[in-house]
């Protein structure tokens, strides 16, 4: 039940934040491996990107990849938050009755690894679909998938079962860092707010406030890993399934830093916050409230 509640909570958040995921993906791929001023800027900022995508690709273009996005959130966060809930309820994240920053960080990172590995094939397809655009505003490599199932079948047929886990070398550090930052700060912030007695006991506002605090930390820690992850998943590959632009996580990180500078690793941070921030807040709020509701009816 912990896994199901966690997955449902993440899907609820995804319905609201998927358009921001599309914008974030496009902005992270824009000007890939090119220095500033040497490429055409289709998306000047998150608001301009929204307008441009909506105008050229239509409103439906802002919800590209929604189906794999929902499935990914259910699988990845179902395993991630579900694993953390089990670890937390077993008392492993506490020392002398208080939340341990070290233990909750390690538990969050471990839960993130489980979620990243399980959800990697769906994230691969989601990235491909969200990067697909009309040629006049296209950025990054353009795959020609007709949908989620067509993409899964095509990748499997061409590169085998291991081809579906291409890019997972970036997914593990991305989700591990984000998960550790999110769950550690959420647990600590919720305990801190409870101690201050700002809200009545068991108020949903406690989880909401803790989620808002957590989201800031998550975006700052996760964005460089998110940029690398998006690029590794979306890069073109040869007949053997090997990337044509990057050999792996370290190679992508160093090439991006060398060609685009530190700012390249934080491309789309505005879109990242507008997406990760609300997603973190909503998923943690829904997760907390669903767990409370389930406990009350047990």
């Amino acid at each position: 039940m912990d896994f199901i509640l966690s997955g449902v909570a993440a899907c609820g958040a995804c319905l609201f934040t998927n358009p921001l995921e599309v914008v974030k993906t496009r902005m992270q791929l824009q000007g890939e491996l090119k220095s500033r001023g040497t490429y055409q800027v289709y998306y000047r900022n998150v608001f301009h990107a929204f307008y441009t995508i909506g105008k050229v690709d239509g409103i439906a273009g802002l919800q590209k990849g929604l189906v794999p996005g929902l499935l990914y959130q259910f699988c990845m966060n179902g395993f991630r938050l579900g694993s953390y809930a089990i670890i937390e309820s077993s008392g492993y994240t506490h020392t002398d009755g208080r939340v341990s920053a070290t233990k909750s960080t390690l538990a969050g990172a471990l839960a993130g690894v489980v979620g990243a590995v399980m959800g990697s094939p769906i994230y691969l397809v989601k990235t491909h679909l969200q990067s697909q655009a009309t040629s006049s505003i296209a950025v990054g490599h353009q795959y020609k998938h007709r949908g989620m199932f067509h993409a899964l079948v095509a990748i499997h047929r061409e590169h085998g079962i291991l081809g579906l886990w291409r890019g997972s070398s970036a997914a593990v550090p991305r989700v591990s860092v984000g998960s550790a930052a999110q769950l550690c700060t959420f647990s600590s912030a919720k305990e801190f707010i409870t101690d201050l007695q700002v809200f009545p006991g068991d108020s949903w506002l406690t989880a909401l406030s803790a989620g808002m605090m957590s989201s800031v930390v998550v975006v700052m820690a996760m964005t460089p890993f998110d940029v690398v992850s998006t690029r590794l998943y979306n890069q073109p590959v040869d007949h053997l399934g090997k990337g044509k632009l990057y050999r792996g996580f370290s190679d992508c990180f160093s090439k991006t830093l060398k060609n685009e500078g530190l700012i390249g690793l934080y491309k789309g941070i505005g879109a990242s916050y507008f997406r990760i921030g609300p997603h973190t807040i909503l998923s943690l709020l829904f997760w907390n409230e669903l767990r409370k509701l389930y406990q009350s009816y047990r």
Side-chain angles (χ1 to χ4, degrees):
M1 184 56 69
D2 275 324
F3 289 87
I4 294 173
L5 293 178
S6 302
V8 171
C11 286
C14 182
L15 286 172
F16 294 96
T17 60
N18 190 66
L20 290 158
E21 180 74 10
V22 174
V23 169
K24 175 185 71 71
T25 298
R26 302 277 182 90
M27 294 186 75
Q28 289 176 340
L29 292 172
Q30 183 171 244
E32 187 173 11
L33 296 182
K34 296 178 181 178
S35 58
R36 296 184 71 182
T38 63
Y39 59 89
Q40 184 173 353
V41 178
Y42 297 111
Y43 312 110
R44 293 196 296 270
N45 53 57
V46 62
F47 304 107
H48 181 255
F50 254 103
Y51 172 77
T52 302
I53 296 170
K55 179 182 178 181
V56 179
D57 286 343
I59 299 300
L62 289 167
Q63 282 289 13
K64 281 190 174 181
L66 178 61
V67 173
L70 290 170
L71 185 57
Y72 171 73
Q73 290 298 331
F74 186 83
C75 293
M76 192 276 284
N77 279 305
F79 281 99
R80 185 178 70 90
L81 296 179
S83 299
Y84 186 81
I86 292 172
I87 296 171
E88 183 182 48
S89 61
S90 300
Y92 291 120
T93 60
H94 290 70
T95 299
D96 298 327
R98 304 286 296 180
V99 173
S100 167
T102 301
K103 290 181 179 179
S104 59
T105 298
L106 290 173
L110 178 62
V113 170
V114 175
V117 172
M118 297 303 297
S120 188
I122 305 301
Y123 193 90
L124 171 68
V125 171
K126 180 187 73 68
T127 303
H128 288 183
L129 291 175
Q130 290 179 337
S131 66
Q132 288 180 192
T134 303
S135 59
S136 61
I137 59 169
V139 292
H141 183 70
Q142 295 290 291
Y143 286 90
K144 302 299 181 182
H145 302 312
R146 294 194 297 269
M148 182 180 74
F149 294 109
H150 173 263
L152 289 170
V153 171
I155 295 170
H156 180 268
R157 184 188 299 121
E158 189 172 355
H159 303 296
I161 190 69
L162 293 180
L164 293 170
W165 267 267
R166 186 177 77 241
S168 59
S169 62
V172 170
R174 171 187 174 272
V175 179
S176 296
V177 170
S179 181
Q182 182 191 70
L183 295 174
C184 173
T185 54
F186 178 70
S187 297
S188 300
K190 191 167 71 169
E191 185 178 70
F192 175 71
I193 294 168
T194 301
D195 289 344
L196 291 178
Q197 297 182 341
V198 178
F199 306 113
D202 291 331
S203 171
W204 62 273
L205 290 171
T206 300
L208 178 63
S209 301
M212 292 174 69
M213 294 180 184
S214 175
S215 65
V216 177
V217 178
V218 171
V219 172
M220 294 305 298
M222 193 175 178
T223 296
F225 297 91
D226 199 34
V227 171
V228 171
S229 179
T230 297
R231 293 183 173 188
L232 280 178
Y233 274 117
N234 195 67
Q235 71 170 327
V237 296
D238 61 20
H239 67 286
L240 296 175
K242 294 183 178 180
K244 293 183 178 180
L245 297 179
Y246 316 107
R247 293 190 302 273
F249 179 85
S250 299
D251 187 48
C252 182
F253 192 97
S254 61
K255 282 183 176 177
T256 300
L257 188 62
K258 179 182 178 181
N259 289 281
E260 302 172 57
L262 184 61
I263 195 171
L265 291 169
Y266 278 91
K267 272 189 174 177
I269 189 171
S272 292
Y273 182 76
F274 283 117
R275 180 263 166 189
I276 296 175
H279 191 277
T280 296
I281 294 166
L282 289 171
S283 61
L284 291 176
L285 174 62
F286 292 158
W287 179 52
N288 193 72
E289 293 305 303
L290 285 171
R291 290 173 70 194
K292 282 164 52 179
L293 185 64
Y294 173 67
Q295 291 297 327
S296 67
Y297 282 98
R298 285 188 65 178

